[in-house]
Amino acid sequence: MPDRGGGPTGPRIRVGRPSRRVRTLLMTLGVLAVLGMAFTMFAGFWTDWLWYRSVNYSSVFTTTLWTKIGLFFVFGLLMALAVGFNIWLAHRLRPPLSAMSMEQQNLDRYRMGIAPYKKWLLLGITALVGLIAGASASSQWRTWLMWVNGVSFGEKDPQFKLDISFFTFDLPWYRFLLGFGFAAAILSVIAAALTHYLYGGLRITSPGARATAAATGHLSVLMGVFVALKAVAYWLDRYGLAVKSSDFKATDNWTGLRYVDANAYLPAKTILFCIAVICALLFFATLWRRTWQLPVIGFGLMVLSAILIGGLYPAIVQKFQVQPNEQAKEAPYVTKNLKATREAYGIDDASVSDYAGTSTTTDKTKLRDDVDNTASIRVVDPNIVSPTFQQLQQMRNYYAFPINLDVDRYTKDGKDQDTVIGLRELNLAGIPKNNWINDHFRYTHGYGVVAAKGTAADSEGRPVFTESDLPSQGDLGTYQQRVYYGEKTTEYSIVGGPQKEIDYSDDSGEKTFSYTGKSGVNLSNPVNRAAYAVAFNEPQILYSGAIGEGSRILYNRTPKERVEAVAPWLTIDGDAYPAVVDGKIQWIVDAYTTTNGYPYSSRTTLGDTTADSLTATNNSRAVVAQQNQVNYIRNSVKATVDAYTGQVSLYQWDTKDPVLKTWMKAFPGTVKAKTAISDSLMAHLRYPQDLFKVQRELLSRYHVKDATTFLSGSEVWQVPDDPTNTSGEPVPPYYLSMKMPDQKAQAFSLTTTFTPNGRDQLSAFMSVDAEAGTSDYGKIRILKLPTNTSVQGPKQVQSQFNSEQDIAETISLLNRGDSKVEYGNLLTVPLDGGLLYVEPVYVRGGGLKYPLLRKVLVTYGGNTAFEDTLDEALNKVFGADGETTPPPEDDGGDTTTPPPTSDNPTVQEALNDAQKAFEDGQAALKKGDWEAYGLAQKDLEEALRRAEDAQSKEDKTGGSSPSPSGSPSGSPSGSPSPSSSPSG
């Protein structure tokens, strides 16, 4: 407005107040920010709901969600009411007049300042503590579901004679309630005390009484509630002794009562419970006596009693009663721990039998024949040959195999064959050009299975493939080969829409495909697209023309994360493995139910006990644990994930496990009955590795059943470090078809070895029948070697391999230039009282970037062989290839071996060919040309065979010629036989 006084005109500026346009803009931005945060929260919730619905496990989402919401509101409301009520009550009990003092005059200013906002302040405080308490309580959804659905174990603990379910399902919930009660009591005491102080009920420096009668009574009741809760805590602590971990020299993570617990801590907890109850009553009595004297004295006595009775007395008992005669005192409790631990880990039926460790059989031919009947020795190591699969069967750069392949068994011609298997999975790092369309629309899946015999390699050291090429073909028949879900498939893909996918390529060019499965979430709905654009932080999902009618988004694509998502109460085995079942590729995932509340059973840390030399180099093989410390484990669920549809199926495997029954009550309909497992699927189920690793760790101490021996520690074993690498981690268990001494036929087994604690010789060999569907499945057998003899352990065997001169020279030769030797799995096989060790040796040589099987190390009974093939090595160890002719004596003349001569031109021709083949082989060896070296060795073997056949025919007709099998005259220029080349 213009100035009416005639002064200068101009706009009038309002200082300190934004314009209407700015206010409108700020309000708009604020509303948009709130809406943005709200939609972000909604997007996370909505996409989770859509995913669970897409896999037909929406009940898991709703049950978990409603449980969390219920716990949040119930306990949040209880905490808010407890704290809010005590603030209100303290305000209500304020004195009508405050004393005239500097303290109260200062407080008057605060009282006047908050007077207009008292209600809002009360609501704010109660809302804050309610939110915090509710959020904390919602995280206890597993504890609540286990308590409300818990079933009986049908077995009682040895101390209190209560069902095991009390300790596993009930006690954790009671402890949560107790902790919540303590929190509510402490917060209420603090809030009430501050309110009383603010309004004059409590005084610090003012003259007169320090507290009004009303404040005294109020705070005394709250303190009485706190002490009463402490009494309950003492009572529950009595039962907690059964699941209490403690340091004990007999074992780490000891759980359960010991002598001092049963005879000192247990009565002490009972006495402290009684003292706490009396002390709580004294606090409540201040409602009438209006004095702190007696409750304070009682509380002081309770604290003193806790120190003397709960701390000093047990220490005295331990020092003067237990330590002078520890074995006798602790033996009854160790016996309980032994029994409970063996039952909790499923090792109570493990059979331990003595094993000589040395063979007494002199018939070497019989021993050689027994090898084939005892074991199908796997020389193709699934942890070494992945690069070989990659080089020979990758076909395209956008395919890849896992770092560690898997071992399964397939039937051919009525016989089971140990098979190394891997999927040709999608490798986004290998696509020609990375962009959003290529990464998420065109390159969406892998293709086909590649499998090879586990017990054989070809003449060049390559796997003998039983399923290969692209598309894959071989012994596995017809099946859906597209792999949309796999261990390496970690990115989302959008399929089924207008954008075609690359299926595979052959000589005729690129083949395209459009996904027809029902997996994933439909993106036709704009709300869904917007939600995923926010959830994945990818705005192109919202407006991209590559998404249209029929488009579906696939994510959470690794088998382990899918099983973990649909069954969040399970612990997932680290090694999911593929199998072709009924025309489909199925990922098989082993899952466990666990608890850490099994009385008297010692605890173990899953992350540590399941670690080995493979998990050290491949983190994807680590166990997915809901709780890392457990003292009970069962392989209760077998799960499958379809590699094409992503369908997850959970099957009840352990029908007696009460923990699984509890979860099945909590999530009805999610786990199928064991009878739903088809025969074709049953043929590929196996004993899981992580469970076996946990059990072998426990059996290193708990193989003994005698408390005295257990306490002495003289029979403690250890899992040896993997001698084939420098990781320093334990040797992994190996799958192998073999026959233990008490078995009549070979069985698919999982095996490991033990050495004495701190030493390297062998102390025991352990195997478990891993073939599902058989009567002996899960039976653990331990062969215990005598302690008064020294049988070589894995590390010593490996050292012997490396120290023998001929072997060391050959290894050194193989390591020359660009070549690198890689040791495969060191397999141990019990054979006729002794132990047969077999180790394949691979070489990455020259321009080859993948390992080939070049040699096989075998040792038995002190005899060692290092040959080109397993059969040759076994023949040499057991003398099945006959005696060799000793070299001729030196006559002092010319030491140069003359060229072999013969009147028989056939023999002479064969020997000349052998000489040439040997020279060709040596030349190829110097160049690092392993392919040429292999061909030369085959020619050498063939030439010597022809020479031997010709010599045999001549001997029968009475002719004469030099021996083709002797040395040096029987081999060209002193060349080695093909079974011992190149070092001879």
Side-chain angles (χ1 to χ4, degrees):
M1 274 181 82
D3 189 335
R4 302 283 183 186
T9 61
R12 180 175 297 175
I13 300 175
R14 296 183 178 180
V15 180
R17 180 181 176 92
S19 67
R20 178 177 297 178
R21 180 179 297 177
V22 173
R23 292 200 306 271
T24 303
L25 178 61
L26 291 175
M27 290 180 62
T28 303
L29 291 176
V31 171
L32 289 176
V34 171
L35 290 176
M37 289 188 292
F39 188 78
T40 301
M41 296 174 62
F42 167 78
F45 164 81
W46 185 243
T47 52
D48 285 347
W49 161 249
L50 291 175
W51 187 86
Y52 276 97
R53 192 174 64 174
S54 72
V55 293
N56 299 317
Y57 282 90
S58 55
S59 63
V60 174
F61 179 81
T62 54
T63 299
T64 304
L65 178 65
W66 286 117
T67 303
K68 290 180 178 179
I69 291 174
L71 292 172
F72 177 86
F73 279 106
V74 169
F75 286 94
L77 185 62
L78 287 175
M79 182 64 77
L81 288 175
V83 175
F85 172 77
N86 281 286
I87 292 175
W88 172 84
L89 183 60
H91 179 266
R92 183 72 179 269
L93 297 175
R94 68 189 184 279
L97 296 174
S98 58
M100 295 302 296
S101 65
M102 289 300 297
E103 179 185 22
Q104 293 304 315
Q105 289 176 12
N106 291 330
L107 289 174
D108 280 341
R109 290 197 295 269
Y110 290 104
R111 287 193 285 262
M112 293 174 62
I114 66 173
Y117 310 107
K118 285 193 296 187
K119 291 183 179 179
W120 293 108
L121 189 60
L122 177 62
L123 290 175
I125 293 173
T126 55
L128 179 62
V129 296
L131 287 172
I132 295 173
S136 176
S138 66
S139 65
Q140 298 293 322
W141 63 271
R142 290 185 179 88
T143 307
W144 161 261
L145 287 176
M146 293 185 76
W147 178 68
V148 78
N149 295 288
V151 301
S152 171
F153 273 69
E155 186 176 351
K156 299 183 184 299
D157 81 286
Q159 180 67 40
F160 301 100
K161 309 304 179 185
L162 296 173
D163 192 270
I164 303 296
S165 61
F166 171 81
F167 300 92
T168 56
F169 304 141
D170 299 343
L171 189 58
W173 178 250
Y174 297 152
R175 281 176 164 168
F176 163 72
L177 292 179
L178 185 63
F180 178 84
F182 274 125
I186 292 171
L187 289 176
S188 296
V189 168
I190 294 172
L194 289 175
T195 305
H196 280 299
Y197 176 71
L198 182 63
Y199 287 96
L202 292 178
R203 307 182 185 97
I204 297 177
T205 62
S206 299
R210 299 299 183 189
T212 64
T216 301
H218 183 196
L219 294 176
S220 294
V221 169
L222 291 177
M223 289 297 297
V225 170
F226 177 85
V227 176
L229 290 173
K230 188 60 181 175
V232 176
Y234 282 131
W235 189 256
L236 290 181
D237 284 347
R238 298 170 67 256
Y239 304 112
L241 292 172
V243 290
K244 177 180 69 87
S245 289
S246 60
D247 295 330
F248 190 29
K249 67 178 183 180
T251 178
D252 296 330
N253 294 317
W254 168 277
T255 303
L257 286 83
R258 291 157 51 194
Y259 181 89
V260 69
D261 297 313
N263 295 277
Y265 280 111
L266 188 58
K269 296 293 183 183
T270 305
I271 295 171
L272 289 172
F273 163 76
C274 297
I275 293 174
V277 169
I278 295 172
C279 185
L281 293 176
L282 291 176
F283 273 106
F284 293 142
T286 57
L287 285 173
W288 296 276
R289 293 182 55 85
R290 303 294 184 179
T291 176
W292 291 88
Q293 186 176 5
L294 286 179
V296 168
I297 293 173
F299 188 79
L301 289 175
M302 187 182 75
V303 172
L304 182 62
S305 300
I307 295 172
L308 296 178
I309 302 175
L312 184 60
Y313 173 63
I316 293 173
V317 171
Q318 177 69 25
K319 179 70 175 178
F320 295 102
Q321 291 190 33
V322 177
Q323 289 185 6
N325 192 16
E326 186 172 34
Q327 287 202 357
K329 295 291 187 181
E330 300 287 14
Y333 304 96
V334 171
T335 301
K336 296 175 184 179
N337 177 268
L338 286 170
K339 180 177 183 296
T341 302
R342 292 171 63 88
E343 290 174 350
Y345 290 94
I347 56 177
D348 48 325
D349 292 331
S351 66
V352 180
S353 56
D354 293 332
Y355 192 70
T358 56
S359 173
T360 57
T361 301
T362 57
D363 188 347
K364 300 295 185 181
T365 303
K366 179 180 180 302
L367 284 175
R368 174 65 184 89
D369 294 338
D370 286 345
V371 173
D372 296 329
N373 296 326
T374 300
S376 299
I377 299 174
R378 178 172 45 75
V379 293
V380 177
D381 187 346
N383 307 308
I384 295 288
V385 299
S386 179
T388 309
F389 274 51
Q390 188 87 353
Q391 184 72 22
L392 302 178
Q393 290 296 319
Q394 180 187 21
M395 304 305 183
R396 295 292 183 270
N397 285 339
Y398 49 82
Y399 293 133
F401 292 92
I403 297 174
N404 305 107
L405 302 178
D406 290 291
V407 178
D408 202 351
R409 62 262 187 237
Y410 287 85
T411 302
K412 185 177 182 181
D413 301 329
K415 295 182 179 179
D416 285 343
Q417 169 68 51
D418 285 4
T419 302
V420 176
I421 187 172
L423 299 190
R424 194 182 287 113
E425 296 189 45
L426 179 66
N427 174 31
L428 288 178
I431 67 176
K433 184 178 181 180
N434 287 101
N435 55 54
W436 190 63
I437 294 296
N438 279 347
D439 291 354
H440 300 289
F441 290 83
R442 287 183 56 77
Y443 295 92
T444 59
H445 60 278
Y447 207 99
V449 172
V450 176
K453 292 182 178 179
T455 54
D458 68 12
S459 60
E460 297 181 14
R462 298 176 300 193
V464 178
F465 291 107
T466 58
E467 185 80 9
S468 58
D469 300 332
L470 184 68
S472 296
Q473 53 188 344
D475 297 345
L476 301 185
T478 303
Y479 58 95
Q480 172 57 263
Q481 297 199 19
R482 297 174 181 90
V483 181
Y484 280 88
Y485 296 87
E487 290 181 303
K488 300 179 74 69
T489 316
T490 56
E491 288 289 335
Y492 71 88
S493 289
I494 299 176
V495 299
Q499 179 66 59
K500 293 294 185 180
E501 310 163 43
I502 293 177
D503 205 22
Y504 65 91
S505 300
D506 57 16
D507 294 337
S508 61
E510 232 173 43
K511 308 292 184 183
T512 59
F513 179 72
S514 187
Y515 186 70
T516 57
K518 300 300 182 184
S519 183
V521 178
N522 196 322
L523 291 180
S524 300
N525 187 328
V527 176
N528 291 356
R529 292 178 65 170
Y532 279 101
V534 172
F536 288 175
N537 195 26
E538 183 49 72
Q540 293 186 78
I541 294 177
L542 186 59
Y543 55 78
S544 174
I547 302 175
E549 190 64 32
S551 292
R552 310 181 73 84
I553 185 168
L554 313 180
Y555 62 105
N556 287 351
R557 299 171 69 182
T558 65
K560 290 197 293 185
E561 70 181 346
R562 290 181 78 79
V563 174
E564 183 191 15
V566 302
W569 34 273
L570 289 174
T571 294
I572 312 300
D573 189 89
D575 184 27
Y577 61 98
V580 177
V581 180
D582 297 329
K584 302 175 182 178
I585 300 175
Q586 297 279 359
W587 287 99
I588 300 175
V589 183
D590 286 287
Y592 311 108
T593 49
T594 60
T595 181
N596 64 355
Y598 196 98
Y600 270 104
S601 172
S602 289
R603 289 184 171 89
T604 188
T605 304
L606 291 179
D608 295 338
T609 53
T610 59
D612 58 25
S613 61
L614 298 184
T615 59
T617 57
N618 185 4
N619 289 332
S620 64
R621 292 179 68 94
V623 65
V624 182
Q626 297 300 329
Q627 50 184 170
N628 201 25
Q629 276 243 329
V630 304
N631 67 354
Y632 172 94
I633 186 170
R634 289 289 186 273
N635 177 211
S636 297
V637 173
K638 300 283 188 180
T640 61
V641 178
D642 193 296
Y644 179 71
T645 66
Q647 178 185 355
V648 182
S649 298
L650 305 176
Y651 299 97
Q652 182 182 15
W653 185 247
D654 189 332
T655 56
K656 298 179 180 178
D657 178 28
V659 181
L660 177 61
K661 291 178 180 179
T662 296
W663 287 119
M664 289 175 68
K665 280 181 64 179
F667 296 96
T670 56
V671 181
K672 300 178 182 178
K674 187 176 184 178
T675 53
I677 300 176
S678 65
D679 293 339
S680 53
L681 175 58
M682 184 71 75
H684 295 282
L685 300 182
R686 68 189 191 188
Y687 202 82
Q689 292 187 67
D690 282 339
L691 175 61
F692 184 76
K693 286 187 281 188
V694 170
Q695 290 175 325
R696 74 174 178 179
E697 178 66 26
L698 268 297
L699 281 168
S700 66
R701 301 183 304 275
Y702 286 89
H703 61 276
V704 300
K705 298 181 180 179
D706 175 65
T708 302
T709 306
F710 184 83
L711 283 168
S712 70
S714 60
E715 291 290 330
V716 174
W717 301 335
Q718 67 182 12
V719 179
D721 292 342
D722 192 342
T724 64
N725 59 50
T726 58
S727 68
E729 294 291 338
V731 62
Y734 296 123
Y735 286 106
L736 187 69
S737 290
M738 59 168 291
K739 180 176 68 174
M740 291 288 277
D742 65 332
Q743 291 180 293
K744 296 181 180 179
Q746 291 184 24
F748 190 63
S749 305
L750 194 54
T751 66
T752 193
T753 52
F754 292 107
T755 58
N757 193 25
R759 303 180 67 184
D760 294 323
Q761 70 264 28
L762 199 69
S763 57
F765 175 84
M766 171 180 167
S767 78
V768 63
D769 196 318
E771 194 161 356
T774 61
S775 58
D776 277 351
Y777 172 81
K779 182 174 178 58
I780 297 174
R781 297 176 173 89
I782 298 176
L783 302 180
K784 181 183 176 184
L785 279 75
T787 56
N788 58 352
T789 61
S790 180
V791 179
Q792 286 187 322
K795 189 174 181 179
Q796 293 173 322
V797 169
Q798 188 69 47
S799 178
Q800 177 185 336
F801 285 158
N802 296 336
S803 61
E804 291 202 10
Q805 183 175 355
D806 290 345
I807 297 176
E809 290 177 356
T810 306
I811 293 294
S812 177
L813 188 62
L814 294 175
N815 263 323
R816 285 182 179 176
D818 294 334
S819 301
K820 180 184 177 183
V821 170
E822 295 183 20
Y823 294 102
N825 38 221
L826 180 57
L827 302 176
T828 309
V829 178
L831 177 67
D832 191 56
L835 290 155
L836 176 70
Y837 286 96
V838 178
E839 182 178 66
V841 178
Y842 294 82
V843 177
R844 293 182 192 242
L848 299 177
K849 301 302 181 184
Y850 57 95
L852 295 175
L853 179 64
R854 289 306 184 190
K855 293 288 182 180
V856 179
L857 284 160
V858 174
T859 184
Y860 182 81
N863 297 322
T864 301
F866 185 53
E867 306 300 328
D868 290 342
T869 67
L870 175 63
D871 285 338
E872 291 171 358
L874 291 172
N875 289 339
K876 184 174 181 180
V877 164
F878 294 105
D881 55 351
E883 296 293 328
T884 59
T885 303
E889 295 181 3
D890 186 1
D891 59 3
D894 187 4
T895 59
T896 303
T897 304
T901 59
S902 174
D903 295 334
N904 187 337
T906 304
V907 175
Q908 183 62 52
E909 183 179 328
L911 290 174
N912 290 339
D913 290 344
Q915 176 69 33
K916 184 178 184 305
F918 174 74
E919 293 172 353
D920 291 345
Q922 294 301 303
L925 196 60
K926 292 178 180 178
K927 296 178 182 179
D929 189 344
W930 295 106
E931 186 173 0
Y933 175 74
L935 292 174
Q937 294 302 299
K938 290 176 61 178
D939 293 342
L940 174 60
E941 185 177 2
E942 175 62 22
L944 290 176
R945 186 189 61 76
R946 286 191 286 108
E948 190 170 0
D949 290 345
Q951 178 67 44
S952 298
K953 291 179 181 179
E954 184 175 315
D955 289 344
K956 290 179 181 179
T957 58
S960 63
S961 70
S963 170
S965 59
S967 177
S969 62
S971 296
S973 300
S975 66
S977 68
S979 64
S980 60
S981 61
S983 68

